[in-house]
Amino acid sequence: MKHLSFMAEAPDIRRMIELRSPLQIDPDPKGGWQLILWAGAAFDYTTPFRALLGDIAEALGQNRENDLWLPPYEVGEDFVEGTLRFGSTLLRIYYEHSLSYLALTSDSEGALREAADRIRRSAQVA
């Protein structure tokens, strides 16, 4: 299986976050749509979801400090919910270490498709 890697640059480091499969948009069982990013191995609590979300915010042209909201970090956190503003759309965030995936959800399939296209431009297939 090919891996999709998300490249990000910080002032003094360059890191790569590998995703387990290409981005996919599916109907959200709770209503609306979800963009799924499979990020690591199940139960790997070192998967850097918070850093990945900051990098995604920047790939979407957003400011990670102003447009990304996550609850305060907790050791061993799992099943985390937050929000990410993308233009005029508020994307709901959910990630879990148990299955090692991140989901961005919205009632707007178009907004998620546009977000996926922007994220893909910052991604690299390894």
Side-chain angles (χ1 to χ4, degrees):
M1 173 188 292
K2 289 185 177 180
H3 294 285
L4 183 69
S5 301
F6 188 86
M7 301 289 292
E9 290 190 25
D12 297 315
I13 62 171
R14 181 178 175 93
R15 66 179 177 257
M16 179 185 299
I17 300 170
E18 290 188 3
L19 301 178
R20 298 280 178 193
S21 66
L23 303 175
Q24 65 187 67
I25 296 176
D26 296 319
D28 183 352
K30 297 177 183 176
W33 298 91
Q34 59 183 352
L35 171 61
I36 304 292
L37 299 95
W38 295 95
F43 296 102
D44 180 357
Y45 288 88
T46 64
T47 302
F49 286 113
R50 288 175 179 265
L52 175 60
L53 282 163
D55 297 339
I56 288 170
E58 290 180 3
L60 295 177
Q62 303 302 120
N63 179 299
R64 66 172 71 203
E65 276 82 40
N66 297 327
D67 298 317
L68 174 61
W69 179 86
L70 293 169
Y73 174 78
E74 294 181 20
V75 174
E77 68 181 9
D78 211 353
F79 313 110
V80 177
E81 296 180 351
T83 58
L84 173 60
R85 181 159 310 283
F86 175 48
S88 63
T89 303
L90 193 62
L91 304 175
R92 296 175 302 279
I93 296 168
Y94 174 80
Y95 68 83
E96 65 178 71
H97 290 278
S98 300
L99 295 177
S100 201
Y101 80 95
L102 180 147
L104 301 176
T105 62
S106 175
D107 294 333
S108 171
E109 182 182 11
L112 281 182
R113 291 208 179 279
E114 184 178 347
D117 289 344
R118 289 189 187 189
I119 293 168
R120 277 188 196 101
R121 286 193 286 250
S122 297
Q124 177 182 348
V125 177

